[in-house]
Amino acid sequence: NVGDVICAPSGGPTPDTPPPGVPVEPTPESSSSSDGISGGAIFLIIFFVGFAVYMAAGMAYMFKVKGESGVNIIPHVEFWKDLPNLMKDGALFIKNKVTGGGYSSV
């Protein structure tokens, strides 16, 4: 149909208008799958907000109720100090399982 073609001021079709009969592919802006935020984004928001609340409430409790100060106001401070070593142990465990390594006899 001639009425379906958008015309430029010169009378011809606009440069971004496909010729009649050619299907138009949806653009990312018009795609319905991009509506809202993803489940991963929701998870990350909940995780980081929860972590911030945990730290703030834990620090307030340690300071007000327990009377701690300095580094000791961090909730479960020993866990957080040991976390790098725990991560290293976990990585080595996985590496040994994948590569077939293990304990050697003494």
Side-chain angles (χ1 to χ4, degrees), residues 50-92:
F51 182 76
V53 169
Y54 159 75
M55 289 302 262
M59 287 178 170
Y61 173 79
M62 294 297 283
F63 181 75
K64 295 279 188 184
V65 176
K66 299 278 189 169
E68 298 288 344
S69 62
V71 174
N72 292 329
I73 68 168
I74 297 172
H76 305 104
V77 68
E78 291 303 318
F79 167 78
W80 295 110
K81 285 181 180 179
D82 200 32
L83 185 61
N85 292 326
L86 294 171
M87 292 174 65
K88 178 184 169 190
D89 289 345
L92 289 174

Side-chain angles (χ1 to χ4, degrees), residues 93-103:
F93 175 80
I94 292 170
K95 177 186 167 258
N96 286 334
K97 287 293 183 183
V98 170
T99 61
Y103 293 103

Side-chain angles (χ1 to χ4, degrees), residues 3-39:
D4 293 339
V5 178
I6 300 172
C7 294
S10 63
T14 59
D16 57 347
T17 304
V22 175
V24 178
E25 293 186 28
T27 60
E29 296 84 25
S30 67
S31 176
S32 63
S33 65
S34 65
D35 294 343
I37 60 175
S38 68

